[in-house]
Amino acid sequence: MTNIRTRVRARRPGIVRSLREAVDPARLLLVAKTALAVGLAWLIAPHMPGVTDEYPYYAPLGALVSMYPTLMGSVRSGLQTLLGLATGIGLAAVVVLTVGPTWWTIPAVVGIGVLVSGTGWFGAGREYVPMAALFVLIIGGQNADDYSVGYLVQTAVGVVVGLLVNLVIAPAPLTLAAAARVDAFRTQLSEHLHDIGTAVSESWPPEHQQWADDAASLADTTSGLRTALSEADDSRRGNPRARGRRGETRQIHADLTRLDRVAHLIRDISDEIADTIWDRPGALALDPALPEPLSAACHAVAEIIAQKEPLDAADHRARAEAARAIRLLLETVDDRTIDVHRSMGPGVLAAMHLRRILILSGHREADEADDSDPESAGA
């Protein structure tokens, strides 16, 4: 019972986040548009000419599969679904016109449909290739030709209705949401480096080790952010609400690329410090003179990571302070290398990576330190 409660408590943040996403305004708008498109498709379907009016239930299905959070996603999904249906109907037509549906031709054509759908040509419509072939042969029966026309035409009607609804009530571009997630990632990196700075200055082993466990999640966060940015770009294509702001995601992409490199450097620092603290395989001893300047440098650089760009004199002073903290750490590393005749250690790696992080943050003094301090570069 205790284990169950512990698991529920651990998963509670994820559950809360999922519920929040389900009632997000953008999601609720998609819900309303989907319901509207399905209703309109059902109203229009019985009035289609010829035999197609006998299969009105496929129009709401077409509307449903065409509703995506982005306009281009709706277009893509709708066209891919129709392509998958047409291919499946074509496979079934070959059977109807030759040997007819039998105990062996039906599973054979379904197998071929599954095989064809694996080519990657159909995207969201890949499942409809074998499904359409199966429906035509089993449900269509003697009226396979009429059924095929009704199935395809009514689905197309639903897709068109869905696209029109999504165009008239255009979804908002996802740019702001993607930018907010990148900003949150910047804050996460800053906090993680603060945690490292605190850990090296505490009595070992530190009381808290979540920072070491969280290091592995930074790569997953970056991957998720790239997906979110890709969706944001997709949400702008063909969207009338995105006109006049075509280059809006360019800076966000540049920020994410820079933060991704920072994340890799922080993970290296985190892994090496954690190995040393908990004496893991590959651990290197940290010189007793380094924890204090290393902690100060971590905290100073963490403050710079949290800044988007220098906006006022206080921001510039913070950057200058970070440069001085790194310079002091590098000088300490150099002095201890000479004194103990040993250069290998987590302090050396951390000093190099912190300086690189500051360079990536656009700090001009760090660039000057590269040119003026060649001995530190080789420490």
Side-chain angles (χ1 to χ4, degrees), residues 249-267:
T249 61
R250 190 176 306 159
Q251 184 58 45
I252 305 175
H253 277 284
D255 287 345
L256 180 56
T257 299
R258 186 162 50 249
L259 291 176
D260 186 21
R261 295 178 64 187
V262 170
H264 280 289
L265 296 172
I266 291 179
R267 284 182 64 193

Side-chain angles (χ1 to χ4, degrees), residues 109-119 129-130:
V109 77
V110 169
I112 294 172
V114 173
L115 182 65
V116 171
S117 66
T119 58
V129 178

Side-chain angles (χ1 to χ4, degrees), residues 17-379:
R17 184 169 57 252
S18 299
L19 292 176
R20 286 177 180 173
E21 292 175 354
V23 296
D24 181 79
R27 188 69 185 178
L28 293 178
L29 177 61
L30 178 63
V31 170
K33 290 193 300 183
T34 302
L36 175 61
V38 167
L40 291 175
W42 181 248
L43 287 175
I44 295 172
H47 304 288
M48 295 302 296
V51 296
T52 58
D53 65 346
E54 299 178 11
Y55 308 96
Y57 35 83
Y58 288 116
L61 175 63
L64 182 62
V65 299
S66 69
M67 296 304 294
Y68 262 60
T70 65
L71 189 59
M72 288 306 298
S74 292
V75 173
R76 197 161 44 240
S77 175
L79 293 179
Q80 289 171 344
T81 298
L82 293 177
L83 177 61
L85 287 177
T87 303
I89 290 172
L91 292 175
V94 172
V95 172
V96 171
L97 296 175
T98 53
V99 296
T102 65
W103 65 270
W104 66 271
T105 55
I106 292 177
V109 77
V110 169
I112 294 172
V114 173
L115 182 65
V116 171
S117 66
T119 58
W121 301 337
F122 303 95
R126 61 183 177 275
E127 296 177 358
Y128 290 91
V129 178
M131 188 184 300
L134 181 65
F135 282 6
V136 169
L137 293 178
I138 293 180
I139 302 177
Q142 299 298 321
N143 300 316
D145 52 348
D146 291 344
Y147 177 84
S148 298
V149 173
Y151 190 4
L152 186 60
V153 171
Q154 290 287 21
T155 303
V157 169
V159 168
V160 171
V161 170
L163 293 179
L164 289 176
V165 169
N166 223 1
L167 180 62
V168 173
I169 311 175
L174 302 176
T175 308
L176 293 179
R181 291 186 61 179
V182 172
D183 286 342
F185 185 47
R186 181 184 289 107
T187 301
Q188 179 186 358
L189 293 176
S190 175
E191 293 175 348
H192 193 81
L193 193 54
H194 272 305
D195 289 341
I196 295 175
T198 300
V200 297
S201 62
E202 288 182 344
S203 59
W204 289 9
E207 295 181 4
H208 309 290
Q209 65 176 33
Q210 187 62 39
W211 60 271
D213 298 332
D214 289 344
S217 68
L218 294 179
D220 295 335
T221 303
T222 304
S223 177
L225 286 173
R226 293 199 180 282
T227 300
L229 261 181
S230 176
E231 292 174 352
D233 289 334
D234 195 49
S235 72
R236 298 174 57 78
R237 298 188 181 98
N239 192 335
R241 295 179 63 178
R243 290 178 181 174
R245 299 183 294 175
R246 295 183 181 277
E248 194 171 331
T249 61
R250 190 176 306 159
Q251 184 58 45
I252 305 175
H253 277 284
D255 287 345
L256 180 56
T257 299
R258 186 162 50 249
L259 291 176
D260 186 21
R261 295 178 64 187
V262 170
H264 280 289
L265 296 172
I266 291 179
R267 284 182 64 193
D268 278 350
I269 297 173
S270 180
D271 290 344
E272 185 57 44
I273 296 295
D275 287 348
T276 299
I277 289 177
W278 286 286
D279 196 24
R280 296 171 179 171
L284 297 171
L286 180 64
D287 192 284
L290 290 180
E292 183 177 349
L294 175 56
S295 176
C298 286
H299 287 305
V301 174
E303 292 295 329
I304 304 308
I305 294 174
Q307 297 177 0
K308 292 184 179 180
E309 57 184 61
L311 300 176
D312 53 30
D315 292 337
H316 287 288
R317 283 195 299 271
R319 288 176 179 270
E321 183 61 33
R324 282 192 291 270
I326 292 177
R327 193 175 296 118
L328 176 60
L329 174 61
L330 289 170
E331 290 172 356
T332 307
V333 168
D334 285 346
D335 291 342
R336 297 304 298 166
T337 297
I338 295 172
D339 292 343
V340 302
H341 305 290
R342 186 179 67 238
S343 62
M344 291 294 292
V348 179
L349 179 140
M352 294 171 60
H353 282 3
L354 288 172
R355 185 176 59 177
R356 177 56 55 186
I357 291 172
L358 200 56
I359 293 173
L360 290 171
S361 300
H363 185 45
R364 204 172 284 177
E365 285 190 43
D367 290 318
E368 293 171 0
D370 277 334
D371 298 331
S372 61
D373 203 0
E375 292 184 3
S376 295

